[in-house]
Amino acid sequence: MAKLPGETRKLQSDIRAPYQFRLFHLASWQWYQVLALLLSDVLALAGAWQVARYLNHFYSPLPPQLVWWVWLGMPSLFWIFAAITLIFFAYGRLYSTSNQSHNYVRTAQLVSVVYLLSLVICYFYDPKLDPPRSLFFTAWIGSVVMVMGFRLFITLIFGQFVQKQPQVSVFLIAPAGRLKKLAQILKHRSRYQVIGAALASTANTSATLQAILRSGAAEVLAADIPQTELASTLYWNLRRAGIALRLLPSSREILYRRGVPEIFAGLPTLRVETPLLIGWDYRLKRWLDIIGAFFGVIFLSPLLIAVAIAIKLSSPGPVFFCQERIGLYGKVFQMWKFRTMVVNAAELQAFLEAQNQIQDGVMFKLRNDPRITPIGRFLRRTSIDELPQLFNVLLGQMSLVGPRPLPVRDVERFEQWHHIRHRVLPGVTGLWQISGRSDIEDFNDAARLDLYYIDNWSLNLDLDILVETIRVVLFGKGAY
């Protein structure tokens, strides 16, 4: 049996056992992110408590029986609450460097669990002790709001900080036909460097594992790896070495991930459960769409008026550009944008089709489009031209988050599977916009992002996309 470089342990040892003991596998910037999240949670909890104490100390202060000591101006009960909350967060992987740390809904759930658990503990501690209800609910709601708010801010800042980190070395595993394309995709992303590759058919061999270890890869990106008796062989071998594994799943595998492992009639199965309150998450999404769009129009009205005046003064033509787009289940609607091109842009497009930078020709993108006006280039760079779509959201034609609605011209070039994206309400922003925006040169890649969004939709995913959209817009990445 071949041995791993520098190892005396044979490959047939427990697949879960690490090759060498390391307590953490974090880079310096990842440590900064974890510490920033930890500090933001403590500050958010402290801020919520201070607000609650200030609002209630005149008529409903904290009972003396619950104040055993005071440290840094905060009562002992706060420090106990904070410690338990941070432990719950750590157990829930909210301090990991993966996307799990962006699970804002999970943070609200865990904070609520701690507060509800405190009621039970308080009852058994002293049934006669009646904690001030106003203080309790103010601290509870304040903690939820401030923890989520602080985490959204940290995510926004570190999302930009991550873009400036050193390159991530990646080892590719895929069928021969996909290796070249995957390598090209990673090449266009400045954060990633391909340092090795292997065929998918050899994914579970010791030769491939040793090649990965010798390459010094930080992550492995695998697609279409073959089925084996122990499907997690590659995962466990990489885990032992502290190397992250990323799988490119099929639609069926994404559905499997939603399942709960369960033995059924003596067979291992995955049970896909329905939620207790069916449809309420989507109803909440629609309410948030309307509320968010309404307040967005109110707060941004000075900007909207200023942009309208600037467009009118800078070039002849209307302020708004109205175009037919394909919405839910193929329904055509009028989508509004600020005009960023000359008035006869539609006629000129026919002469520019030969310069289209989208490889398959489904969409039309031109980096230095001569039809764009000077102020239009600024509006596109900052995505301000998209703001009138808040009115489309108010009319129920669009959502804040969803697959981007495309013109009739583009949809006419769709393949059959592309139309799956029309099964959900189109959005002002989506995964496509935060995953490369105009840098995506193949519509199939954009369509796969839309399908991933549909397969994995949740309120938390929408919130994460909105936060990332703000970061992308502020720093103008990928827009032209």
Side-chain angles (χ1 to χ4, degrees), residues 378-393:
F378 169 77
L379 295 178
R380 285 182 168 228
R381 176 66 62 181
T382 57
S383 296
I384 294 175
D385 62 318
E386 309 285 358
L387 291 180
Q389 290 159 42
L390 293 174
F391 293 102
N392 289 115
V393 176

PDB file of all heavy atoms in Angstrom, residues 378-393:
ATOM      1  N   PHE A 378     -22.175  56.185 -16.075  1.00  0.00           N
ATOM      2  CA  PHE A 378     -22.113  56.307 -14.625  1.00  0.00           C
ATOM      3  C   PHE A 378     -23.292  55.591 -13.965  1.00  0.00           C
ATOM      4  O   PHE A 378     -23.120  54.883 -12.969  1.00  0.00           O
ATOM      5  CB  PHE A 378     -22.108  57.777 -14.227  1.00  0.00           C
ATOM      6  CG  PHE A 378     -22.315  58.009 -12.755  1.00  0.00           C
ATOM      7  CD1 PHE A 378     -21.284  57.794 -11.851  1.00  0.00           C
ATOM      8  CD2 PHE A 378     -23.552  58.419 -12.270  1.00  0.00           C
ATOM      9  CE1 PHE A 378     -21.487  57.986 -10.489  1.00  0.00           C
ATOM     10  CE2 PHE A 378     -23.768  58.619 -10.919  1.00  0.00           C
ATOM     11  CZ  PHE A 378     -22.729  58.405 -10.028  1.00  0.00           C
ATOM     12  N   LEU A 379     -24.471  55.769 -14.520  1.00  0.00           N
ATOM     13  CA  LEU A 379     -25.656  55.124 -13.951  1.00  0.00           C
ATOM     14  C   LEU A 379     -25.540  53.603 -14.001  1.00  0.00           C
ATOM     15  O   LEU A 379     -25.961  52.904 -13.072  1.00  0.00           O
ATOM     16  CB  LEU A 379     -26.916  55.581 -14.698  1.00  0.00           C
ATOM     17  CG  LEU A 379     -27.274  57.068 -14.581  1.00  0.00           C
ATOM     18  CD1 LEU A 379     -28.511  57.376 -15.402  1.00  0.00           C
ATOM     19  CD2 LEU A 379     -27.485  57.462 -13.122  1.00  0.00           C
ATOM     20  N   ARG A 380     -24.969  53.076 -15.074  1.00  0.00           N
ATOM     21  CA  ARG A 380     -24.796  51.631 -15.179  1.00  0.00           C
ATOM     22  C   ARG A 380     -23.724  51.136 -14.217  1.00  0.00           C
ATOM     23  O   ARG A 380     -23.873  50.081 -13.603  1.00  0.00           O
ATOM     24  CB  ARG A 380     -24.416  51.253 -16.620  1.00  0.00           C
ATOM     25  CG  ARG A 380     -25.589  51.333 -17.580  1.00  0.00           C
ATOM     26  CD  ARG A 380     -25.184  50.907 -18.977  1.00  0.00           C
ATOM     27  NE  ARG A 380     -26.360  50.724 -19.805  1.00  0.00           N
ATOM     28  CZ  ARG A 380     -26.576  49.651 -20.568  1.00  0.00           C
ATOM     29  NH1 ARG A 380     -25.704  48.663 -20.585  1.00  0.00           N
ATOM     30  NH2 ARG A 380     -27.668  49.566 -21.307  1.00  0.00           N
ATOM     31  N   ARG A 381     -22.657  51.886 -14.111  1.00  0.00           N
ATOM     32  CA  ARG A 381     -21.569  51.488 -13.220  1.00  0.00           C
ATOM     33  C   ARG A 381     -22.042  51.407 -11.778  1.00  0.00           C
ATOM     34  O   ARG A 381     -21.622  50.536 -11.019  1.00  0.00           O
ATOM     35  CB  ARG A 381     -20.412  52.477 -13.359  1.00  0.00           C
ATOM     36  CG  ARG A 381     -19.240  52.244 -12.437  1.00  0.00           C
ATOM     37  CD  ARG A 381     -18.519  50.944 -12.748  1.00  0.00           C
ATOM     38  NE  ARG A 381     -17.959  50.929 -14.088  1.00  0.00           N
ATOM     39  CZ  ARG A 381     -17.293  49.886 -14.582  1.00  0.00           C
ATOM     40  NH1 ARG A 381     -17.143  48.799 -13.873  1.00  0.00           N
ATOM     41  NH2 ARG A 381     -16.826  49.921 -15.823  1.00  0.00           N
ATOM     42  N   THR A 382     -22.924  52.301 -11.399  1.00  0.00           N
ATOM     43  CA  THR A 382     -23.431  52.330 -10.022  1.00  0.00           C
ATOM     44  C   THR A 382     -24.752  51.592  -9.866  1.00  0.00           C
ATOM     45  O   THR A 382     -25.273  51.498  -8.750  1.00  0.00           O
ATOM     46  CB  THR A 382     -23.633  53.785  -9.572  1.00  0.00           C
ATOM     47  OG1 THR A 382     -24.522  54.436 -10.478  1.00  0.00           O
ATOM     48  CG2 THR A 382     -22.301  54.521  -9.541  1.00  0.00           C
ATOM     49  N   SER A 383     -25.307  51.091 -10.995  1.00  0.00           N
ATOM     50  CA  SER A 383     -26.604  50.377 -11.007  1.00  0.00           C
ATOM     51  C   SER A 383     -27.771  51.263 -10.602  1.00  0.00           C
ATOM     52  O   SER A 383     -28.855  50.754 -10.294  1.00  0.00           O
ATOM     53  CB  SER A 383     -26.547  49.139 -10.104  1.00  0.00           C
ATOM     54  OG  SER A 383     -25.613  48.201 -10.570  1.00  0.00           O
ATOM     55  N   ILE A 384     -27.582  52.583 -10.601  1.00  0.00           N
ATOM     56  CA  ILE A 384     -28.686  53.488 -10.290  1.00  0.00           C
ATOM     57  C   ILE A 384     -29.771  53.398 -11.358  1.00  0.00           C
ATOM     58  O   ILE A 384     -30.954  53.647 -11.083  1.00  0.00           O
ATOM     59  CB  ILE A 384     -28.165  54.935 -10.152  1.00  0.00           C
ATOM     60  CG1 ILE A 384     -27.245  55.050  -8.922  1.00  0.00           C
ATOM     61  CG2 ILE A 384     -29.295  55.940 -10.046  1.00  0.00           C
ATOM     62  CD1 ILE A 384     -26.595  56.404  -8.764  1.00  0.00           C
ATOM     63  N   ASP A 385     -29.390  53.008 -12.578  1.00  0.00           N
ATOM     64  CA  ASP A 385     -30.385  52.918 -13.649  1.00  0.00           C
ATOM     65  C   ASP A 385     -31.457  51.876 -13.369  1.00  0.00           C
ATOM     66  O   ASP A 385     -32.537  51.908 -13.964  1.00  0.00           O
ATOM     67  CB  ASP A 385     -29.695  52.612 -14.984  1.00  0.00           C
ATOM     68  CG  ASP A 385     -28.978  51.268 -14.975  1.00  0.00           C
ATOM     69  OD1 ASP A 385     -28.326  50.949 -13.951  1.00  0.00           O
ATOM     70  OD2 ASP A 385     -29.076  50.539 -15.975  1.00  0.00           O
ATOM     71  N   GLU A 386     -31.190  50.946 -12.441  1.00  0.00           N
ATOM     72  CA  GLU A 386     -32.147  49.885 -12.138  1.00  0.00           C
ATOM     73  C   GLU A 386     -33.192  50.302 -11.102  1.00  0.00           C
ATOM     74  O   GLU A 386     -34.174  49.589 -10.887  1.00  0.00           O
ATOM     75  CB  GLU A 386     -31.401  48.644 -11.619  1.00  0.00           C
ATOM     76  CG  GLU A 386     -30.246  48.169 -12.474  1.00  0.00           C
ATOM     77  CD  GLU A 386     -30.697  47.453 -13.739  1.00  0.00           C
ATOM     78  OE1 GLU A 386     -31.922  47.291 -13.924  1.00  0.00           O
ATOM     79  OE2 GLU A 386     -29.831  47.071 -14.547  1.00  0.00           O
ATOM     80  N   LEU A 387     -33.011  51.432 -10.440  1.00  0.00           N
ATOM     81  CA  LEU A 387     -33.892  51.810  -9.328  1.00  0.00           C
ATOM     82  C   LEU A 387     -35.367  51.957  -9.701  1.00  0.00           C
ATOM     83  O   LEU A 387     -36.236  51.631  -8.882  1.00  0.00           O
ATOM     84  CB  LEU A 387     -33.380  53.099  -8.682  1.00  0.00           C
ATOM     85  CG  LEU A 387     -32.061  52.984  -7.901  1.00  0.00           C
ATOM     86  CD1 LEU A 387     -31.671  54.337  -7.324  1.00  0.00           C
ATOM     87  CD2 LEU A 387     -32.165  51.932  -6.802  1.00  0.00           C
ATOM     88  N   PRO A 388     -35.713  52.426 -10.910  1.00  0.00           N
ATOM     89  CA  PRO A 388     -37.142  52.505 -11.241  1.00  0.00           C
ATOM     90  C   PRO A 388     -37.872  51.163 -11.193  1.00  0.00           C
ATOM     91  O   PRO A 388     -39.104  51.133 -11.159  1.00  0.00           O
ATOM     92  CB  PRO A 388     -37.136  53.084 -12.667  1.00  0.00           C
ATOM     93  CG  PRO A 388     -35.883  53.896 -12.732  1.00  0.00           C
ATOM     94  CD  PRO A 388     -34.887  53.106 -11.938  1.00  0.00           C
ATOM     95  N   GLN A 389     -37.130  50.061 -11.176  1.00  0.00           N
ATOM     96  CA  GLN A 389     -37.792  48.756 -11.090  1.00  0.00           C
ATOM     97  C   GLN A 389     -38.455  48.532  -9.735  1.00  0.00           C
ATOM     98  O   GLN A 389     -39.207  47.568  -9.560  1.00  0.00           O
ATOM     99  CB  GLN A 389     -36.772  47.653 -11.384  1.00  0.00           C
ATOM    100  CG  GLN A 389     -36.340  47.618 -12.828  1.00  0.00           C
ATOM    101  CD  GLN A 389     -35.017  46.926 -13.043  1.00  0.00           C
ATOM    102  OE1 GLN A 389     -34.751  45.880 -12.454  1.00  0.00           O
ATOM    103  NE2 GLN A 389     -34.187  47.498 -13.898  1.00  0.00           N
ATOM    104  N   LEU A 390     -38.197  49.415  -8.770  1.00  0.00           N
ATOM    105  CA  LEU A 390     -38.935  49.354  -7.513  1.00  0.00           C
ATOM    106  C   LEU A 390     -40.434  49.535  -7.768  1.00  0.00           C
ATOM    107  O   LEU A 390     -41.270  48.973  -7.045  1.00  0.00           O
ATOM    108  CB  LEU A 390     -38.424  50.420  -6.548  1.00  0.00           C
ATOM    109  CG  LEU A 390     -36.992  50.251  -6.028  1.00  0.00           C
ATOM    110  CD1 LEU A 390     -36.581  51.459  -5.188  1.00  0.00           C
ATOM    111  CD2 LEU A 390     -36.861  48.971  -5.206  1.00  0.00           C
ATOM    112  N   PHE A 391     -40.778  50.302  -8.811  1.00  0.00           N
ATOM    113  CA  PHE A 391     -42.188  50.456  -9.176  1.00  0.00           C
ATOM    114  C   PHE A 391     -42.739  49.153  -9.746  1.00  0.00           C
ATOM    115  O   PHE A 391     -43.905  48.825  -9.536  1.00  0.00           O
ATOM    116  CB  PHE A 391     -42.359  51.605 -10.167  1.00  0.00           C
ATOM    117  CG  PHE A 391     -42.054  52.952  -9.586  1.00  0.00           C
ATOM    118  CD1 PHE A 391     -40.853  53.593  -9.840  1.00  0.00           C
ATOM    119  CD2 PHE A 391     -42.968  53.582  -8.750  1.00  0.00           C
ATOM    120  CE1 PHE A 391     -40.566  54.838  -9.297  1.00  0.00           C
ATOM    121  CE2 PHE A 391     -42.687  54.829  -8.196  1.00  0.00           C
ATOM    122  CZ  PHE A 391     -41.488  55.449  -8.462  1.00  0.00           C
ATOM    123  N   ASN A 392     -41.918  48.412 -10.500  1.00  0.00           N
ATOM    124  CA  ASN A 392     -42.339  47.094 -10.973  1.00  0.00           C
ATOM    125  C   ASN A 392     -42.611  46.153  -9.814  1.00  0.00           C
ATOM    126  O   ASN A 392     -43.521  45.313  -9.871  1.00  0.00           O
ATOM    127  CB  ASN A 392     -41.270  46.495 -11.885  1.00  0.00           C
ATOM    128  CG  ASN A 392     -41.169  47.189 -13.223  1.00  0.00           C
ATOM    129  OD1 ASN A 392     -40.160  47.807 -13.545  1.00  0.00           O
ATOM    130  ND2 ASN A 392     -42.220  47.091 -14.032  1.00  0.00           N
ATOM    131  N   VAL A 393     -41.802  46.291  -8.743  1.00  0.00           N
ATOM    132  CA  VAL A 393     -42.021  45.464  -7.550  1.00  0.00           C
ATOM    133  C   VAL A 393     -43.354  45.827  -6.901  1.00  0.00           C
ATOM    134  O   VAL A 393     -44.140  44.947  -6.510  1.00  0.00           O
ATOM    135  CB  VAL A 393     -40.861  45.634  -6.548  1.00  0.00           C
ATOM    136  CG1 VAL A 393     -41.139  44.857  -5.265  1.00  0.00           C
ATOM    137  CG2 VAL A 393     -39.544  45.164  -7.162  1.00  0.00           C
TER     138      VAL A 393
END
